[in-house]
Structure formats: C-alpha cells, structure tokens
Amino acid sequence: MNESSTLKPRKRPVQKRAIAMVDAILDASARILVERGYAGLNTNAVAQRAGISIGSLYQYFPSKEALLVALQTRHAQDMSGALGSLLAESDTGGLASAVARFVRAAVAAHELDPALHRVLEKELPFFVESSELVGKDVHRHVLALLTKYRREVAQANLELAAWMVMRMTEALVHAAVLDKPAAFGAKEIETAVGGAIMAFLSSPAQQAGNG
Amino acid sequence: MNESSTLKPRKRPVQKRAIAMVDAILDASARILVERGYAGLNTNAVAQRAGISIGSLYQYFPSKEALLVALQTRHAQDMSGALGSLLAESDTGGLASAVARFVRAAVAAHELDPALHRVLEKELPFFVESSELVGKDVHRHVLALLTKYRREVAQANLELAAWMVMRMTEALVHAAVLDKPAAFGAKEIETAVGGAIMAFLSSPAQQAGNG
Amino acid sequence: MNESSTLKPRKRPVQKRAIAMVDAILDASARILVERGYAGLNTNAVAQRAGISIGSLYQYFPSKEALLVALQTRHAQDMSGALGSLLAESDTGGLASAVARFVRAAVAAHELDPALHRVLEKELPFFVESSELVGKDVHRHVLALLTKYRREVAQANLELAAWMVMRMTEALVHAAVLDKPAAFGAKEIETAVGGAIMAFLSSPAQQAGNG
Amino acid sequence: MNESSTLKPRKRPVQKRAIAMVDAILDASARILVERGYAGLNTNAVAQRAGISIGSLYQYFPSKEALLVALQTRHAQDMSGALGSLLAESDTGGLASAVARFVRAAVAAHELDPALHRVLEKELPFFVESSELVGKDVHRHVLALLTKYRREVAQANLELAAWMVMRMTEALVHAAVLDKPAAFGAKEIETAVGGAIMAFLSSPAQQAGNG
DNA sequence: GATGAATGAGTTTTCATTCAT
DNA sequence: TATGAATGAAAACTCATTCAT
C-alpha cells in the first residue's frame, strides 16, 4: 500500500548469492538501459540478460519501479564514492586548489558511467535528482570548504554561494562530459569551470543591473 | 522510409478549424504530460482530452512521436519568442546590463510553462535539446554581445566564453525556475547568476590549480 | 438490407462523366491491387489515386465490396471479350484446329492483364470464380464445338468432356501464363495443352485402373 | 531484420502441454478461417477460440503472419503425408495403374480438409503454393514413374510431361474436390482425370494446329 | 527458493463509412 | 453533386506481474 512496500527491495540480501543476484539484475538493467534506452527496458529482458528467471527477479524487486530506484541509488552511491574519495584527500592548498579538486572530482564521478548517467537523467520518469541522493554530503562538504576559506570568499551568503557552486559544477561538468562540444577539449572546459567558480566566489554579490 | 514520413505533421493546417484542432491536440498533450508524465500519455487520452476522435488526431499527426516532436517544437518556439522579444530591445548599457537582460530573458522563457518544460526535458526519450532548436540564434546573440563589449571581457577564447555563458545561464536559470530551492528567492538567484557570469567574463582565463 | 443494395453499383452511370469516373475508380483499384496487393488496397487510397474525393467514390459504389465486385466483373468481361472475339472466327478446320484456337484464345485472355488476374484470383476474399461470370458462354461454346465434331470425340459423356476441357485449359493456361516455369516456353506449353486436350477427347472413357 | 524473426514460431514446443497449445492454436485458426474467411480471422478471436489468452498465443507465434505460415505448413505436411503413404505402396501394375494410384492419392490428400485448403489457397495473401512445399518430392516421384514406364510414354520431353501431369492432377482434383460440379460424381471425375492423363502420356507430342 | 508459462489490460494505429458544408 | 474532415470500432501486439509446479 504505502510506497515502502513497492519501492524498496523486497529483502535485505544477506547471503552472498542474493547479493550477487541483485547485482546481476542491476547490471543487466544498466546495460539494457544504455543499449536500448528506457523504452527498450522491460523486466523480462532484464531477467533474461541477468541469466535468471522473471520470477526470481520479482523475488528481489517487487516492481519495475523498485528496480529502477535501486539502480539509480546504486549509481548515485558509486558517484558519491568516487567524489568522496577525491574530496577526502587532505586539503593543503588555498581555495583555488580546493575548487579545482572539487571540479576534478565531479568530472571523475561523471566519467564513471557517462552513458548510464545520461539515460538515467534524461529518460527515467521517476528520476530522483542525484543531488538529493548524493547532494547532502556534497553540500556539507562545499559549505565546509567555503567556511574554511571564508576570507577568500567575497560572496556574503555562503548558503547561496554553495548552491551556485554545486549547480555550476554539476551543469558544466555534465555538459562537458556528456554533451562534449567538439570545439573544446575536456581539460580546457574543466579549467574554465574552475575559473568561473573562483571568479564567482571572489566577486562580491553585486546589484543586478537593469536591462 | 525516411523519418519525415513518421515524424512530420501529416498536413499543414491552413483552415482556421484545422489550426485550432492542432492547437487543441498539442494543448491536451501538454496538460496530460504535466499531470501524468510521459508514461501517462497515450494517444487515446490526448484525443479524448482534446475533445476529438482518435482518428482525427492521426489525421494531423502520423504517429505519437510526431505529436511529441510537434509539441516540443511549439514549446521551443514559444521560448524562443519570449527570449527574442526581450533580447531585441535596444542595448544601451554596458556588458553588465546586457548580461542581466540576457539572464532575465532566460528566466522569462523558462517561466512560460515550467512544468511542461520539466517533463519535456526530463522524460522525453527523443527530446531534442532546446538549445538545438533555440540555441543557434541565441549563441549568435551571445557571441555578438561579447564581441561588442570585447574590452570588458577578460576571457581570451570568446567561443568558449559564449558556450560557458549559455550553459551557466541555462543550467542555473533552469534550476532556479524548475527546482527552485526553498531557501532563496528567484530574484536573488537571478542576481547571483548575472553576477557569476559577469565575474567569469571579467576574470582572465587562468591556469588550472592542481588539487 | 439485401445484397443488391450493397453490392450493385449505386447508379447506372448514363452520363459520360459518370462512366469516366467509374472507370477511373476501377482503374485506380486495379493499379493499387497490382502494386500493393489486396492488403494495400483501401478506399481512401483508391479515391486519391483516381483523383476524386472519397465521398464521390461512395456516390458510385456503396461499399468497398461493391467496388471489388465491379472490378472483377469488368475484368471478367474483358477476358470474355478477348475470348469471344477469337472464338467467333469462322471455324473451318477439324476438331484439332478448333481446340488449338480455343487454347490460344484462353492464352490471349489470360495475357490481358495477368498481374491483375493473379491478385484477383489469389487474394480476393469474395472472388467470384471467373468461370461463373465468363463460364456460361464458354461452356456453351465448348459444348457446341464437341457436338459439331461429335464423330472425332471418343468420350461418351459430352457434358463431362466439356467440363474437363474447360478445367484443363483454365488450369494449364493459367499456370503457363502466371506461374510460367522457367524450363519451358509458353508456346511449348500451349502446344502441349492442345495435345493433351486432343488426346483426352480422342480416347474413349476408360475404366479406372486400380492402384 | 530478417524474415525468420517474424515468420518462424517463437519457441519449439517440447513439452506435451506446449505442443497441445500450438495444436490448439492452429486448430482454432483453421476453424475460424473456414467459418469466417481470412478477413474474419484475428488473433484475439483465435486465442479465445483456442481457450487461451492472447499473450500465450504471442508466446508461441511472434506475429499473425507466423501463425498463418505455421498453419499452412502443417496443412501441407498433412497433405504430403497422405500423398506419400499412398504413393509408397509397391508398384506392380503398369503405367495406367500407377497413374490411377497417383490420382487417387491426390484426391485423398485434397479430401483431408478441403474447406481449409480452399481458404488457404484462395485468400491467403502469402500463400506458399503447396506444390512448393510438397512438390519437390512429388515431382521426383512422377518423374521416376514416367522413367520407369518409359516405353509406355509417347511424349518426348519427360520433364514437360511430368509438369503437365502434376498440373492436370492438381487442377482437376482440386476442382473435383473443392468446386465439385453437381452434375458428376467424384468417382466419375477421378476416372476421367486418370484417363486424360493416360491419353496425354500415350499420345506423341504433336504439332500445334493453327486456329 | 526458483522457474517460466500464462495472463489480459492497455497501447498504437488503420480504414470503411458518414455527413456537414 | 462533390468534397474531405471526422468518426470510432477493431485489430495487432507488448509487458508487468502472478502462481502452479
């Protein structure tokens, strides 16, 4: 009845075999999603690709939706992991260096499985914004960063600044990795993104000019 | 054989009634899309909502896909119109004022039908990036702008700068209008976006700091 | 209600224009039938191909079925005409010559529009066996022939003999013209058919051997 | 892409139940075909008549066309079987007896399911001429026969003679069984057919008389 | 637990026919 | 009379989900 009964994995897989099965199912889903898009994804195909029966699939996921939420969650966690391990490195440089590392981490995260990421984000009807899954931690991290280098940040509203930084990074990195414009190299864009963020942070919040 | 036969509207509606019909169909599609998402959209529902028979729908659109392409196109044209009329105003201020006006125009365009815009962009499997429909003109406009105020632009690569400006605007405005964070007002964000763009343009392309 | 109301042409076209229209419609039907088969034939396509409106088509034919019956009838009459004009020639030779002429007439009739003939016969759901349309006259003709050369006919039952002659001719000529086997020439087959018929007529009805 | 994917049965039924299902589906198709003709045949009706769900039908046949092809094939195999078992009997008599047995076998084959045979042949848009399915073996058989009794055959071209024999048998038996004329008994016709074939074979290929 | 045959509601699309203009 | 926009029943086919084995 309630969401939890149809959205959450049916059983907490404790046995190794069960874990392997869940992984196989999610892997199969991801591959199909990438190869055929959301329209080409159906539970029977997933089961077949995963080498199990359709009945078994439903043993682990109560619905197609639950399967997709799980896939999404796993992907978000993967990205979060990639992000986190880079961000965790001790931070000795100044703000610029921290921002550059943040951007590089974002790039690395997006490069994990760009094709899957694209489909997930562009076609999934109930895509839970990655930011909601990954975002909390990252937001905390960025905010901590801005606070630590408060002196170098000209913006008054740190919360707003953090939001802007996250959005700029997400959007620009996303564009750079997934819809890479032929004209510029990825590295070039990465640098520009870091520069833009730094410029933004270094500039005081100004009055909006009137058009 | 070719795409045109299934993707393009079947007949160019010349009579008033036919135009009204096409509009009614697209309106119905838009409303259903917003209310029920892409998965909830089916041609019978569209026809019923539009108050016509399913046969009539297929008289004007040879396939469901054609219908969606048309809806998308109309939406992109609407946005393009809103954008264009604001951008067309004579430009007397400096770069800051021009940028601010550009951001405001983007906001206005996104405010036309944010709910539809969100579904179109997030769920349509064959969504033609608005930028591809609207983008060419806008890109020209931005580039012209940067060239005109060349002296105020510190970035060396104008093409890259234009790309960054467009991406930043699109992403930030999009986020502000469609996933508006509760914490900040739209106006506040709009200002911040203008500021960020100005800061970016005013800063010289710098060396990437290493993390 | 009764068949006549849906199967017979709606109006007896007396004006020249109406006759031309009916012909145009039947021509269009025939061409579509040949090009796309029965499955590809629909009344809207016929009207368009005939250069008239669908409404006008229904002015002349009350239903699709009526249209097809008319087409069939016209084709049968065409064949009948080709057949008849050859058979009408004065008959001076013996039985063999008469049979040969009959076979040649059948070939000529089948060569009128073989492609149409094939589709009509192989796909039409309510194909009225041509023999029923053409057959009566032909049957009379063949019977008259056999009676005239009674002395040369060894078969006792002339009715049965006539039926056999017609069937053999129809089947063999049909096969020769429409499913021509690559190995033999049409002329060669035509000769063989005449020979077979002559042999049959010349042989006395015999006891069936037991296998 | 290739025809096989839409034309061939989806799964080879191994279990008893599956075989029974396929048979039930084909039986239902045959009955509907006979009762309502090709136009009256639709997959939903077939499933209902077979007492299964439409989904199950598509589990075994990937398309309506595949279903029809299978039905056709089964029918051709049935006919081939009936034909073959009769032809296989040891052949002790002369040519006349062999021909008579051939004709009787053809009659028996056509009497298996005349109504179905008629619809299949007359309405199926993609009817594969039975002769193509059955024909090869039969042709070999007839040729062997003519060769064996070469002395009794006056015709020079054995290949052509075999073709004629097959066509005459097919056409005449077909007409006798399916469009049986009220005037003559089946037995009477069967005898006449045998006689005609014998007469043809016994007569030398003659010059075509000119009409 | 695992299997996979079976289900059937739901979807897209066609086309014979009508009828207001 | 001619037109052709409009109709809607009907048909092929899919796929999430169940449940007997």
Side-chain angles (χ1 to χ4, degrees):
Chain A
M1 276 306 166
N2 54 1
E3 282 201 348
S4 64
S5 66
T6 42
L7 244 55
K8 287 199 301 197
R10 203 165 255 177
K11 55 179 67 174
R12 197 160 295 271
V14 272
Q15 294 133 329
K16 268 176 227 150
R17 189 160 61 130
I19 295 182
M21 215 151 186
V22 163
D23 272 339
I25 294 171
L26 294 183
D27 287 345
S29 304
R31 271 174 295 158
I32 293 178
L33 228 30
V34 166
E35 285 171 25
R36 302 210 243 274
Y38 180 66
L41 182 88
N42 68 274
T43 53
N44 285 288
V46 169
Q48 190 177 25
R49 187 78 157 251
I52 61 166
S53 74
I54 181 66
S56 294
L57 186 154
Y58 275 85
Q59 201 88 40
Y60 291 98
F61 299 98
S63 71
K64 187 185 183 185
E65 197 177 344
L67 172 62
L68 286 166
V69 168
L71 176 61
Q72 219 178 146
T73 305
R74 191 180 75 166
H75 178 67
Q77 282 168 350
D78 287 350
M79 287 188 69
S80 186
L83 211 56
S85 65
L86 275 174
L87 295 184
E89 292 172 14
S90 71
D91 178 30
T92 54
L95 179 60
S97 135
V99 163
R101 193 159 65 234
F102 180 65
V103 172
R104 174 146 328 133
V107 170
H110 277 85
E111 275 171 342
L112 262 186
D113 195 342
L116 176 62
H117 191 76
R118 185 192 282 108
V119 186
L120 247 25
E121 197 180 42
K122 295 198 65 170
E123 297 191 23
L124 230 54
F126 35 82
F127 180 68
V128 183
E129 193 63 48
S130 317
S131 44
E132 284 179 33
L133 298 170
V134 188
K136 281 281 144 55
D137 285 344
V138 182
H139 186 256
R140 242 192 310 278
H141 181 90
V142 171
L143 205 54
L145 209 105
L146 299 190
T147 308
K148 180 175 180 184
Y149 297 106
R150 188 70 185 91
R151 282 173 310 124
E152 299 186 53
V153 177
Q155 292 286 328
N157 186 342
L158 277 201
E159 283 279 352
L160 177 55
W163 184 86
M164 291 281 293
V165 167
M166 284 186 65
R167 284 289 164 185
M168 285 174 67
T169 308
E170 161 79 34
L172 292 167
V173 165
H174 190 95
V177 175
L178 303 184
D179 307 304
K180 183 161 19 207
F184 325 112
K187 209 66 195 164
E188 195 175 359
I189 296 178
E190 192 182 320
T191 306
V193 174
I197 291 176
M198 277 307 294
F200 164 68
L201 291 176
S202 312
S203 76
Q206 59 203 104
Q207 210 57 22
N210 276 351
Chain B
M1 278 308 168
N2 53 0
E3 286 199 344
S4 63
S5 62
T6 34
L7 246 53
K8 286 200 303 197
R10 203 163 250 172
K11 49 176 76 169
R12 193 163 295 272
V14 272
Q15 291 145 332
K16 260 172 256 161
R17 189 154 64 129
I19 294 183
M21 202 154 194
V22 164
D23 272 340
I25 295 171
L26 294 183
D27 287 345
S29 305
R31 271 174 294 157
I32 293 178
L33 227 31
V34 167
E35 287 171 24
R36 297 189 247 192
Y38 179 65
L41 184 90
N42 66 275
T43 53
N44 284 292
V46 169
Q48 191 176 22
R49 186 76 157 250
I52 60 164
S53 75
I54 182 64
S56 294
L57 187 155
Y58 277 88
Q59 202 114 54
Y60 291 98
F61 300 98
S63 70
K64 186 188 180 182
E65 201 177 344
L67 172 61
L68 286 167
V69 167
L71 177 60
Q72 216 178 158
T73 305
R74 190 180 74 165
H75 179 66
Q77 283 169 347
D78 287 350
M79 287 189 68
S80 186
L83 210 57
S85 64
L86 275 175
L87 295 183
E89 293 173 13
S90 72
D91 178 31
T92 55
L95 178 61
S97 135
V99 163
R101 192 159 64 235
F102 179 65
V103 172
R104 176 150 323 137
V107 170
H110 277 83
E111 274 172 342
L112 264 184
D113 195 340
L116 176 61
H117 191 77
R118 183 194 284 110
V119 186
L120 246 26
E121 195 180 43
K122 298 199 64 170
E123 297 193 23
L124 266 217
F126 39 84
F127 180 69
V128 182
E129 194 64 50
S130 317
S131 42
E132 283 179 35
L133 297 170
V134 187
K136 279 281 145 50
D137 284 343
V138 181
H139 186 256
R140 244 193 306 279
H141 181 89
V142 171
L143 207 53
L145 207 107
L146 299 189
T147 308
K148 179 174 179 185
Y149 298 106
R150 188 69 184 91
R151 283 172 309 123
E152 299 185 53
V153 178
Q155 293 285 327
N157 186 341
L158 276 201
E159 284 278 353
L160 177 56
W163 184 84
M164 290 282 292
V165 167
M166 284 188 65
R167 285 288 166 183
M168 285 172 69
T169 308
E170 162 82 33
L172 292 166
V173 165
H174 190 96
V177 175
L178 304 185
D179 307 306
K180 182 162 18 207
F184 325 113
K187 207 66 197 167
E188 197 176 358
I189 296 179
E190 190 182 321
T191 306
V193 174
I197 291 177
M198 277 306 296
F200 165 67
L201 290 176
S202 311
S203 76
Q206 60 203 103
Q207 211 58 21
N210 275 350
Chain C
M1 277 307 167
N2 54 2
E3 282 202 348
S4 63
S5 65
T6 42
L7 245 55
K8 288 200 300 198
R10 202 165 256 176
K11 55 178 66 174
R12 197 160 295 273
V14 273
Q15 294 133 328
K16 267 177 229 151
R17 189 161 60 130
I19 295 181
M21 214 152 187
V22 163
D23 272 341
I25 294 171
L26 294 184
D27 286 346
S29 304
R31 271 174 294 157
I32 293 178
L33 227 30
V34 167
E35 285 172 24
R36 302 210 243 273
Y38 179 66
L41 183 88
N42 67 275
T43 53
N44 284 287
V46 170
Q48 191 178 23
R49 186 77 157 250
I52 61 167
S53 74
I54 180 66
S56 293
L57 187 153
Y58 275 85
Q59 201 89 41
Y60 290 99
F61 299 97
S63 70
K64 186 185 183 183
E65 196 177 344
L67 172 63
L68 285 167
V69 168
L71 176 61
Q72 218 176 151
T73 305
R74 191 181 74 166
H75 179 66
Q77 282 169 350
D78 287 350
M79 286 188 69
S80 187
L83 210 56
S85 64
L86 274 175
L87 295 184
E89 292 173 15
S90 70
D91 178 29
T92 54
L95 179 61
S97 135
V99 162
R101 193 159 65 234
F102 180 65
V103 172
R104 173 147 326 135
V107 169
H110 277 85
E111 276 172 342
L112 262 187
D113 195 341
L116 177 61
H117 190 76
R118 185 192 282 110
V119 185
L120 247 26
E121 197 180 43
K122 294 198 66 170
E123 296 192 23
L124 230 52
F126 35 84
F127 180 67
V128 183
E129 193 63 48
S130 316
S131 43
E132 285 179 32
L133 297 169
V134 187
K136 281 283 145 52
D137 285 344
V138 181
H139 186 257
R140 244 193 310 278
H141 181 90
V142 172
L143 205 53
L145 208 107
L146 298 190
T147 308
K148 180 175 181 185
Y149 298 106
R150 188 67 184 93
R151 280 172 310 123
E152 299 186 53
V153 178
Q155 291 286 326
N157 186 339
L158 277 201
E159 283 280 352
L160 177 55
W163 184 85
M164 291 282 292
V165 167
M166 284 187 64
R167 285 290 163 183
M168 286 174 68
T169 309
E170 161 80 32
L172 292 166
V173 165
H174 190 95
V177 175
L178 304 185
D179 306 305
K180 182 160 21 206
F184 324 113
K187 208 67 196 165
E188 196 175 0
I189 295 178
E190 192 182 320
T191 305
V193 174
I197 291 176
M198 278 307 294
F200 164 68
L201 290 176
S202 312
S203 76
Q206 60 203 104
Q207 209 58 21
N210 274 352
Chain D
M1 276 307 168
N2 53 0
E3 286 198 346
S4 64
S5 63
T6 33
L7 246 55
K8 285 200 304 199
R10 203 164 251 172
K11 51 175 73 169
R12 193 163 297 271
V14 272
Q15 290 144 332
K16 261 172 254 159
R17 189 152 65 127
I19 294 182
M21 202 155 194
V22 164
D23 273 340
I25 294 172
L26 294 183
D27 287 345
S29 304
R31 272 174 294 157
I32 293 178
L33 227 30
V34 167
E35 286 171 25
R36 298 189 247 195
Y38 180 65
L41 183 89
N42 66 274
T43 53
N44 284 292
V46 169
Q48 191 175 24
R49 187 76 157 252
I52 59 164
S53 75
I54 182 64
S56 293
L57 187 155
Y58 277 89
Q59 202 115 55
Y60 291 98
F61 299 98
S63 70
K64 186 187 181 182
E65 201 177 343
L67 173 62
L68 260 359
V69 167
L71 178 61
Q72 216 178 155
T73 304
R74 190 179 75 164
H75 179 66
Q77 282 169 349
D78 287 350
M79 286 188 68
S80 186
L83 210 57
S85 64
L86 277 174
L87 295 184
E89 294 173 13
S90 72
D91 179 30
T92 55
L95 179 61
S97 135
V99 163
R101 193 159 64 236
F102 180 65
V103 172
R104 177 151 322 137
V107 169
H110 277 83
E111 275 172 342
L112 263 186
D113 195 340
L116 176 62
H117 190 77
R118 183 194 282 110
V119 186
L120 247 25
E121 195 180 45
K122 298 197 64 170
E123 296 192 24
L124 266 217
F126 39 86
F127 180 68
V128 181
E129 193 65 49
S130 317
S131 43
E132 283 179 35
L133 296 171
V134 187
K136 278 282 144 54
D137 284 343
V138 181
H139 186 256
R140 242 194 308 279
H141 182 89
V142 172
L143 207 52
L145 208 108
L146 299 189
T147 308
K148 179 174 181 185
Y149 298 105
R150 188 70 185 91
R151 283 172 309 125
E152 300 185 53
V153 178
Q155 292 285 327
N157 186 342
L158 277 202
E159 284 278 352
L160 177 55
W163 184 85
M164 290 283 292
V165 166
M166 284 187 66
R167 284 289 167 182
M168 284 174 70
T169 307
E170 162 81 33
L172 291 167
V173 165
H174 190 97
V177 175
L178 304 185
D179 307 306
K180 181 160 23 204
F184 325 113
K187 208 66 198 164
E188 197 176 359
I189 296 179
E190 191 181 320
T191 306
V193 174
I197 291 176
M198 278 307 295
F200 165 67
L201 291 176
S202 311
S203 77
Q206 60 202 103
Q207 210 58 21
N210 275 351

